[in-house]
Amino acid sequence: MRYAIRHVTRFDYAKPVAFARCNLRLKPIIWSGQRIHDYTLSVEPGGRIAPARAEAGLANVVRLVVEAAATSLTIESRCEITVDRAVPMPSPDDPTLGEVARLARDSRDAGPASPAAYLFPSPLIPLDPDIAAWCAQELDPDRNALEAAIALAQRIQRDFTFDPAATLVDTPPHEAFAKRGGVCQDFAQIMISGLRAAGLPAAYASGYLRTLPPPGQPRLVGADATHAWVLLWCGPARGWVGVDPTNGIWMASDHVVVAVGRDYTDIAPIDGIVLGSGAQDMQVSVDVEPLDATA
């Protein structure tokens, strides 16, 4: 499936800001099952854009510096990308969760996609005994790794309510877990916390969902915005496999991977500082348009 993606972020400031410096992580990364054909990034009223230093997560990072006083800032990212990713099917040859945990601990890979980098708590995803106990019901060490991953994702989708008013961007996982509600970020963080508590390598994936579903299929929750889901490393043969606990589905051709990290702090689409005073308003719009005529 070929997509045209348009992601616009607009900041309006009550008083002019004198200076802004931002990290932008908006261009999709090279990842299995997807390839980029074209990408453009534009900024109004303008600024200096340059590559940033490498980061721990898997992300395309650029630095934006705006030195002229401004009352608004609009960042527009456009991309054409093909995603051809089959739905994973559990196989008798897949490792068990216990085998995955052992293989991850024994890994000597020091790269950004190493499973060892995603075994431990991270700034926004600490280990939590209540989450660990709840998730452990699906995480028997002798269970097929892929079967366990989709079972846990579907349990979260069934038992939690999608409610944008329930949480904020900095709500810790234990609060969303106690409320049994939140948004995609909360559900991904809860699942990752439970997987890591079981000794499993789990990563936070950020990206997009297609806006319009195929004919006759329901619209996925999280379209028209950036989306978050989970990657579980399932051994060297399978590698990283994506599951979406918001929708209870696998990551396949409806998902576009923009960045992968330990948690949101590694892969936030935009972060940085501004020098100024007064209130700020941010508006974000995302459109993921299928370009294939038969889609």
Side-chain angles (χ1 to χ4, degrees):
M1 179 64 62
R2 185 163 178 150
Y3 298 107
I5 300 171
R6 181 173 180 261
H7 180 170
V8 181
T9 306
R10 178 182 173 90
F11 298 91
D12 289 297
Y13 306 105
K15 297 181 180 179
V17 297
F19 175 85
R21 184 176 66 188
C22 307
N23 298 309
L24 310 181
R25 305 173 187 86
L26 297 167
K27 181 180 179 180
I29 60 173
I30 296 173
W31 194 260
S32 175
Q34 62 184 46
R35 63 184 185 278
I36 299 173
H37 305 290
D38 186 44
Y39 181 78
T40 58
L41 177 67
S42 61
V43 178
E44 293 292 340
R48 292 188 288 108
I49 297 175
R53 62 178 177 79
E55 294 188 334
L58 294 163
N60 287 312
V61 190
V62 297
R63 176 70 50 77
L64 167 65
V65 177
V66 180
E67 296 174 312
T71 56
S72 68
L73 177 64
T74 300
I75 301 168
E76 181 173 334
S77 171
R78 287 180 175 266
C79 180
E80 283 199 14
I81 189 169
T82 293
V83 183
D84 185 10
R85 186 180 295 119
V87 175
M89 297 299 293
S91 164
D93 296 331
D94 292 329
T96 65
L97 292 177
E99 290 168 338
V100 166
R102 177 183 58 78
L103 289 166
R105 291 195 304 269
D106 292 344
S107 174
R108 295 297 180 263
D109 181 0
S114 167
Y118 301 92
L119 282 169
F120 305 103
S122 55
L124 294 184
I125 309 180
L127 298 185
D128 181 276
D130 293 331
I131 294 174
W134 189 85
C135 292
Q137 297 174 52
E138 302 292 348
L139 301 178
D140 187 310
D142 294 327
R143 192 173 188 181
N144 178 289
L146 272 73
E147 289 180 357
I150 194 64
L152 181 55
Q154 291 175 345
R155 186 174 177 217
I156 292 172
Q157 192 271 337
R158 287 193 309 269
D159 291 1
F160 288 70
T161 300
F162 188 87
D163 180 4
T167 58
L168 302 172
V169 69
D170 59 351
T171 297
H174 72 88
E175 288 189 19
F177 179 77
K179 293 179 178 180
R180 294 297 195 272
V183 295
C184 57
Q185 173 178 295
D186 302 301
F187 305 151
Q189 291 183 152
I190 288 167
M191 185 170 178
I192 290 169
S193 181
L195 291 169
R196 290 178 182 168
L200 301 165
Y204 185 102
S206 177
Y208 307 114
L209 282 175
R210 65 180 287 169
T211 301
L212 299 175
Q217 295 189 20
R219 185 177 181 276
L220 298 175
V221 176
D224 300 325
T226 54
H227 191 52
W229 62 95
V230 178
L231 297 174
L232 173 66
W233 188 76
C234 293
R238 280 285 197 175
W240 290 99
V241 177
V243 285
D244 182 346
T246 303
N247 293 287
I249 60 174
W250 297 104
M251 179 185 82
S253 290
D254 286 336
H255 293 74
V256 178
V257 180
V258 174
V260 175
R262 298 166 302 163
D263 58 33
Y264 184 78
T265 57
D266 285 342
I267 49 79
I270 300 174
D271 62 21
I273 60 170
V274 296
L275 297 182
S277 61
Q280 168 187 291
D281 178 65
M282 181 179 74
Q283 297 179 344
V284 180
S285 66
V286 172
D287 186 53
V288 182
E289 177 189 359
L291 297 180
D292 295 356
T294 58

